[in-house]
Amino acid sequence: MSRYNARAVEPKWQRIWEDSRAFAATRDETKPKYYVLEMFPYPSGRIHMGHVRNYAMGDVVARFKKARGFNVLHPMGWDAFGMPAENAAMERRVHPGAWTYQNIAAMRTQLKSMGLSLDWEREFATCDPEYYAQQQALFLDMLEAGLVSRKISVVNWDPVDNTVLANEQVIDGKGWRSGAPVERRELTQWVFRISDMADELLSAIDGLDKWPEKVRLMQRNWIGRSEGLQFRFEMAPNDLVDWPELEVYTTRHDTLFGASFAAISPDHPLSRALEGKVDGLAAFNAECRRMGTSEAELETAEKKGFDTGLRVVHPFDPNWTMPIYVANFILMDYGTGAIFGCPAHDQRDLDFARKYGLDVVPVVCPPDQDAASFEIGSDAYIGPGRIINSRFLDGMSIDDAKAEMARRMLEMGCGEARVNFRLRDWGISRQRYWGCPIPVIHCGDCGIVPVPKADLPVKLPDDVTFDKPGNPLDRHTGWRNVPCPKCGADARRETDTMDTFVDSSWYFARFTAPHADTPTEMADADYWMNVDQYIGGVEHAILHLLYSRFFARAMHRTGHLPEKSIEPFNALFTQGMVTHETYRAADGRWLTPDEVKITHEEDGREPALETRDPQIVPVDKVDLRRVARETSTDEEVEIGPTIKMSKSKRNTVDPEQIIEQFGADTARWFMLSDSPPERDVEWTAAGAEGAWRFLQRVWRALNEAKLCAIGAPEPQLVLPMAASLRQATHKTIMRVSRNIESFAFNKAVADIYTFVNTLTKEHGDSEDYLFARREAYEALARLMAPMTPHFAEEIWQLLGHATPLVEAPWPSYDADLTRDDMISMPVQINGKKRAEIQVDREADRETIEGLVMASPDVARFLGGKTPRKIIVVPGRIVNVVI
RNA sequence: GCCCGGAUGGCGGAAUUGGUAGACGCAGCGGACUCAAAAUCCGCCGGCCGCAAGGCCUUGUCGGUUCGACUCCGACUCCGGGCACCA
């Protein structure tokens, strides 16, 4: 008997599926549809293990649903615009388009070798002019619908290269190529008005009941609705500026009598106005601007303030003034760019007050504290309590104090309650070549003129150069200079391109009619939308998903999606990452798993980091051991943490090698084994080999198994052993079905292992055995098919079937065969398991108690005493309390 | 810094969602087969004590609720994801 030969088998079935167009999706009103989608890949060059895991999971769902009778749509495409292509262009003098399409070709081949049940006829790349033409049409419709505007926003500016940098390109506050300290600079940019939809996007989260709770929480927090008070401080008289008042936003107006300072953003108009007038302020502000734009950077930077010397007057006491600071941690983008500080009840304000010697007056007293003696140490008090030291608010709860404060401010005409969102408008302008051109023209007379739809697409010019930093579109005068579509005068194209998040915010809708000459085709969108199951990395939990939700709403408003699709993803699953150990040489360079050799530690347990030579294992054994390593040059290597596979840490394993060595089914099987899909999985060579051995084991067992003829009737005689095999079969069908349905693929795999263990131990050859065994193997083939489709087809054929398994329905189970008549129940005494009894499944309380008291084990622990209480949970457990 | 997760044997994990902790897999150990190796098959496999029967301990740490806690509550520690121009 020959071994199972994945290298020959897999391409064979891939061809059969392709020739029969097994996965081509067509509208069919007679069947329920099911749209399963995995987040499409960026064509970086090669697929990585994260892709294998993501697409293996999606394929399990797609094949399972197809077997269950659904009309499945399972498409694939390419998120093809982005910075890496431009970086490649600069470094290797290749055109970003050529580089991208080459990568797509390579990755398409790799993905096809995985045997995914994809409808390749719907494939597109977002850099295809046919795709971005429709994106431009969408932009124009959104512009007309008032969903787009222009806004000043800040970018990272590299003063040496004279380019805008992505946050990723700012390393320790310096440009990644020039090394120059980055500055913040303001630019007028195109934005999508997502903040107009903040309330709607927030409340609709409640309806996303098939999304992970953590993602819903993250989205809620990101949108960040807060109810607060916006009010105006009067300025104390000063000689520097004519500035009557300072408007601030706060959610803690109950603490206004604990205020000890006001603070404004360095970019606040008042701060700018004072720059030439207050000694040192210009320098302070400049220093604040010498920083990247990322929130993490701003928030972790040392908190610094600059006393402007100006003061504001407390709204409720004309004799009470406090200083105005410029502070580097106040964001101009949130609220009014100005706050008041109450150090006692806000940690950041407290740190600031301690640093600059400002008053700390507690105004909220914790319930268990005495108002007279309550003091603030190094921790601000942010809990509940009653108000103290606050004149007319004294004794109130926080909520009552807020209400009273808002009422009085409104009465006085200096402030009003206001809902604020953390969510900012979505800036989409990018000063880069490799993106979707924004289809507008700037005319000196007409202003901003949309490109007429008849002139779309605004295609990217091919003849561009990347020898200079900056946006090549800016330099390309032939492309840039055009007549105004309205008046015909000389005008210029917008040279900014769109954020690549735009491309990925509607591709799921485009898949329903990928070749239409409008963004979508209503009949197709209406049939296929929504995505029934969306699968992707949790790293997209906020931005991509929020933008897509916004886009779906925008597309509905502009007539491109039906109303039911304003929430486009019915169910979401966020899978974990694929991780691997990292290896670092003494000089700090990262090493790939292939570059390290492993030494054998004697007890086989802990890795021997320090050990040099004594027991270097031969290379072919290497991958089975997790121990210390050395490079070929005999350096010692440090084993770093197990982290997400990434090029920069070089801890990657190439799926192509694995597929070549073991086959796609092995890679898929291993990826689905062991780790729950939502968690990170560590790739280990040993795990892959284990998966490979399992397939061989099933193959061997089936080749040696004696079965009845295909389609033979159920025999009359049923031997107990054969009956138990049938029970195992039906239980396994039940479990695997449930586990696939609930995304517990690791448990489905474990169920199949258990089943195969049972199956291969049954050696009878009576008539009912032959029947039970055929039933078992037929079920096995069908249960494994979503995970190891080629292998399943092969054993299906071996079982004698003439038609491919891909067209076979999912197996059903007989519920009577999944239940045991007798069950074992643990008996606890004072909460510790001491005995076990066998009882009928339906046994009642009295019967169970009788059996418990009759048990010698129980009697031994009871020692003649009468139990105080016996807790019986029928079908579960008994606890005897003495 | 802020938001969101996670932690169970040597390792990945399971535990019917408050009811037998460690299913299943990997690694390891012992044995069979073999001239030998690979492959395969059989057995063992959380720790401590014990000849055994059995007992005690054990789900990151500390405390609480409960007849009963991996599961619920409170306080921490460490690790990971996101933070708006990486995709």
Side-chain angles (χ1 to χ4, degrees):
Chain A
M1 181 196 70
S2 60
R3 280 170 150 196
Y4 172 70
N5 183 353
R7 283 178 85 138
V9 166
E10 292 184 349
K12 177 181 83 182
W13 288 107
Q14 285 162 19
R15 210 168 309 118
I16 290 171
W17 297 329
E18 191 174 343
D19 291 348
S20 65
R21 299 183 68 230
F23 311 119
T26 48
R27 261 162 53 195
D28 177 354
E29 309 289 343
T30 66
K31 274 188 184 173
K33 68 92 189 178
Y34 196 89
Y35 183 3
V36 55
L37 182 66
E38 300 97 63
M39 291 178 185
F40 67 164
Y42 177 78
S44 56
R46 309 185 63 75
I47 64 168
H48 54 69
M49 281 299 172
H51 294 127
V52 173
R53 192 177 193 207
N54 193 194
Y55 302 131
M57 287 180 195
D59 207 42
V60 169
V61 175
R63 288 177 181 269
F64 174 72
K65 290 290 176 183
K66 180 173 161 67
R68 276 269 160 113
F70 287 90
N71 188 25
V72 171
L73 171 60
H74 186 207
M76 180 56 69
W78 309 95
D79 187 13
F81 277 132
M83 288 200 306
E86 279 187 72
N87 294 337
M90 281 184 269
E91 282 156 19
R92 285 178 245 169
R93 303 188 163 276
V94 285
H95 188 274
W99 183 84
T100 302
Y101 282 106
Q102 266 171 31
N103 288 348
I104 288 174
M107 289 175 74
R108 184 191 299 116
T109 305
Q110 291 185 309
L111 279 188
K112 286 194 171 181
S113 76
M114 281 184 67
L116 302 168
S117 64
L118 291 166
D119 180 359
W120 283 103
E121 294 168 27
R122 288 173 189 261
E123 176 192 3
F124 59 77
T126 55
C127 63
D128 296 342
E130 295 73 32
Y131 182 80
Y132 71 73
Q134 299 309 322
Q135 187 162 306
Q136 290 170 341
L138 276 176
F139 177 93
L140 294 176
D141 289 346
M142 287 166 72
L143 185 63
E144 204 183 329
L147 293 160
V148 183
S149 41
R150 304 264 285 161
K151 205 172 185 177
I152 292 174
S153 56
V154 280
V155 295
N156 301 305
W157 181 257
D158 184 323
V160 169
D161 277 356
N162 289 312
T163 55
V164 176
L165 298 177
N167 285 336
E168 185 192 51
Q169 299 170 318
V170 179
I171 294 157
D172 296 330
K174 300 192 175 80
W176 68 337
R177 285 186 208 280
S178 71
V182 165
E183 294 167 10
R184 273 190 279 168
R185 180 175 276 208
E186 291 184 329
L187 288 181
T188 301
Q189 310 251 55
W190 290 98
V191 300
F192 285 136
R193 303 174 58 112
I194 188 172
S195 63
D196 290 353
M197 288 194 201
D199 240 335
E200 196 185 327
L201 288 166
L202 179 68
S203 56
I205 293 172
D206 295 342
L208 302 174
D209 54 348
K210 289 181 190 164
W211 282 39
E213 189 50 42
K214 62 172 173 181
V215 175
R216 302 205 289 166
L217 239 188
M218 280 192 269
Q219 292 232 342
R220 281 192 191 104
N221 291 339
W222 185 262
I223 294 170
R225 183 180 198 274
S226 67
E227 289 177 6
L229 184 70
Q230 189 155 319
F231 70 94
R232 293 165 287 282
F233 279 110
E234 250 178 64
M235 301 279 285
N238 71 82
D239 308 329
L240 300 175
V241 284
D242 176 23
W243 206 281
E245 51 192 28
L246 179 67
E247 185 156 45
V248 301
Y249 176 77
T250 179
T251 57
R252 287 306 301 272
H253 30 299
D254 55 311
T255 65
L256 185 55
F257 287 104
S260 52
F261 65 96
I264 60 178
S265 163
D267 299 318
H268 193 281
L270 175 58
S271 170
R272 288 174 185 273
L274 290 170
E275 270 182 23
K277 297 173 177 162
V278 176
D279 257 5
L281 179 58
F284 179 82
N285 283 351
E287 199 201 316
C288 291
R289 285 180 203 119
R290 251 195 309 279
M291 242 205 300
T293 58
S294 84
E295 190 181 314
E297 199 181 336
L298 259 48
E299 292 282 336
T300 50
E302 192 195 347
K303 308 284 179 287
K304 283 185 191 163
F306 182 96
D307 189 349
T308 60
L310 271 59
R311 299 182 78 88
V312 289
V313 183
H314 195 282
F316 294 96
D317 188 342
N319 298 317
W320 179 352
T321 65
M322 46 195 136
I324 302 176
Y325 280 79
V326 175
N328 63 351
F329 57 88
I330 311 289
L331 304 170
M332 197 55 222
D333 286 324
Y334 185 74
T336 61
I339 60 148
F340 78 80
C342 174
H345 306 291
D346 181 283
Q347 192 59 46
R348 199 164 55 180
D349 292 352
L350 181 62
D351 296 342
F352 192 81
R354 296 286 188 226
K355 186 166 180 173
Y356 294 102
L358 301 162
D359 289 343
V360 179
V361 181
V363 290
V364 179
C365 182
D368 55 347
Q369 292 271 337
D370 178 48
S373 62
F374 178 56
E375 276 184 30
I376 299 292
S378 57
D379 294 323
Y381 179 71
I382 52 171
R386 72 205 137 77
I387 305 291
I388 55 172
N389 301 329
S390 296
R391 309 186 188 188
F392 54 82
L393 298 178
D394 281 350
M396 290 185 187
S397 69
I398 289 175
D399 286 345
D400 290 347
K402 281 183 181 172
E404 177 62 12
M405 190 56 91
R407 192 187 66 76
R408 290 197 183 221
M409 288 267 193
L410 188 65
E411 202 176 273
M412 287 155 55
C414 66
E416 51 281 321
R418 187 180 162 137
V419 172
N420 230 331
F421 293 93
R422 208 185 76 95
L423 180 66
R424 309 199 293 256
D425 276 330
W426 172 14
I428 60 156
S429 291
R430 297 292 180 270
Q431 295 68 43
R432 280 188 255 286
Y433 168 77
W434 194 232
C436 171
I438 295 173
V440 297
I441 289 165
H442 298 273
C443 170
D445 295 329
C446 312
I448 286 165
V449 183
V451 172
K453 274 199 179 169
D455 295 349
L456 294 185
V458 176
K459 270 177 95 167
L460 286 169
D462 282 329
D463 51 334
V464 282
T465 53
F466 293 90
D467 44 0
K468 282 183 276 219
N471 182 357
L473 295 177
D474 262 340
R475 305 191 290 262
H476 195 302
T477 49
W479 183 81
R480 196 187 66 195
N481 298 334
V482 285
C484 170
K486 225 180 205 171
C487 68
D490 287 350
R492 45 174 299 171
R493 284 191 191 285
E494 171 65 65
T495 56
D496 285 352
T497 53
M498 291 185 211
D499 178 9
T500 56
F501 269 122
V502 179
D503 314 335
S504 55
S505 292
W506 71 285
Y507 77 106
F508 48 87
R510 182 70 182 167
F511 274 137
T512 63
H515 310 298
D517 54 12
T518 45
T520 57
E521 197 73 71
M522 212 29 121
D524 290 307
D526 201 49
Y527 177 81
W528 289 115
M529 285 297 283
N530 298 340
V531 177
D532 292 283
Q533 182 65 61
Y534 196 33
I535 306 171
V538 70
E539 66 271 21
H540 295 294
I542 297 176
L543 291 178
H544 163 61
L545 290 167
L546 190 61
Y547 292 154
S548 297
R549 295 178 60 218
F550 163 76
F551 239 80
R553 282 174 164 74
M555 287 177 76
H556 169 59
R557 286 195 200 175
T558 50
H560 297 294
L561 276 181
E563 190 179 1
K564 65 170 186 184
S565 299
I566 58 171
E567 284 300 336
F569 309 124
N570 290 349
L572 172 70
F573 187 88
T574 54
Q575 103 267 17
M577 300 173 309
V578 181
T579 63
H580 199 284
E581 284 180 330
T582 46
Y583 310 111
R584 208 160 194 182
D587 59 5
R589 92 187 180 277
W590 298 97
L591 301 169
T592 67
D594 287 342
E595 284 170 331
V596 295
K597 243 196 278 179
I598 303 165
T599 59
H600 188 350
E601 165 79 354
E602 274 185 83
D603 68 351
R605 302 273 186 217
E606 287 303 300
L609 292 176
E610 264 39 90
T611 336
R612 271 189 90 114
D613 193 9
Q615 299 149 42
I616 295 181
V617 227
V619 173
D620 54 323
K621 274 224 109 180
V622 152
D623 38 13
L624 293 173
R625 308 253 154 110
R626 178 198 178 276
V627 206
R629 296 125 221 258
E630 314 210 356
T631 63
S632 48
T633 51
D634 262 11
E635 292 172 89
E636 287 188 13
V637 172
E638 187 193 347
I639 302 179
T642 298
I643 54 168
K644 176 178 180 174
M645 283 188 181
S646 78
K647 270 189 189 161
S648 61
K649 300 293 190 298
R650 308 192 72 209
N651 61 337
T652 55
V653 173
D654 187 356
E656 191 170 309
Q657 274 181 24
I658 301 295
I659 290 173
E660 218 153 86
Q661 197 179 348
F662 298 112
D665 286 334
T666 295
R668 294 167 60 128
W669 184 257
F670 173 60
M671 269 305 171
L672 297 164
S673 311
D674 295 351
S675 286
E678 68 276 14
R679 275 221 233 155
D680 292 351
V681 63
E682 184 181 357
W683 177 269
T684 61
E689 287 175 30
W692 184 78
R693 278 200 302 267
F694 174 70
L695 296 188
Q696 295 296 346
R697 198 174 134 218
V698 174
W699 180 251
R700 241 185 349 260
L702 175 57
N703 272 279
E704 288 162 5
K706 289 182 196 144
L707 312 170
C708 66
I710 194 166
E714 187 175 340
Q716 291 298 307
L717 179 86
V718 174
L719 298 172
M721 290 303 283
S724 91
L725 177 54
R726 294 204 63 197
Q727 272 203 333
T729 302
H730 287 258
K731 276 185 192 171
T732 304
I733 295 171
M734 178 179 75
R735 291 199 182 119
V736 171
S737 309
R738 279 186 196 163
N739 283 330
I740 288 179
E741 198 87 59
S742 62
F743 268 81
F745 306 130
N746 56 323
K747 293 191 231 171
V749 166
D751 292 333
I752 290 171
Y753 270 112
T754 310
F755 181 48
V756 169
N757 288 343
T758 307
L759 183 53
T760 52
K761 281 191 182 103
E762 304 281 4
H763 295 295
D765 57 3
S766 65
E767 198 186 334
D768 31 5
Y769 259 117
L770 301 187
F771 177 83
R773 202 174 289 123
R774 166 164 289 279
E775 182 181 56
Y777 276 106
E778 298 229 335
L780 182 63
R782 290 192 281 174
L783 294 177
M784 286 181 72
M787 303 162 207
T788 56
H790 317 84
F791 180 77
E793 288 281 11
E794 197 67 11
I795 61 177
W796 187 249
Q797 193 177 56
L798 194 64
L799 283 163
H801 292 278
T803 51
L805 179 53
V806 73
E807 301 303 339
W810 192 250
S812 54
Y813 60 87
D814 179 346
D816 287 341
L817 283 170
T818 62
R819 281 192 288 268
D820 293 311
D821 295 332
M822 293 295 282
I823 56 169
S824 75
M825 275 178 87
V827 180
Q828 294 183 331
I829 295 181
N830 287 341
K832 287 194 180 233
K833 188 200 159 193
R834 299 298 186 183
E836 205 165 67
I837 53 169
Q838 303 298 316
V839 297
D840 189 277
R841 173 158 46 92
E842 309 286 352
D844 61 11
R845 209 167 279 270
E846 288 73 41
T847 316
I848 293 171
E849 274 190 34
L851 282 164
V852 166
M853 295 314 289
S855 157
D857 287 326
V858 174
R860 190 159 57 85
F861 276 92
L862 237 43
K865 280 178 270 182
T866 319
R868 281 197 295 157
K869 194 164 30 159
I870 300 179
I871 295 157
V872 179
V873 185
R876 282 286 162 79
I877 201 165
V878 181
N879 193 6
V880 181
V881 186
I882 316 176

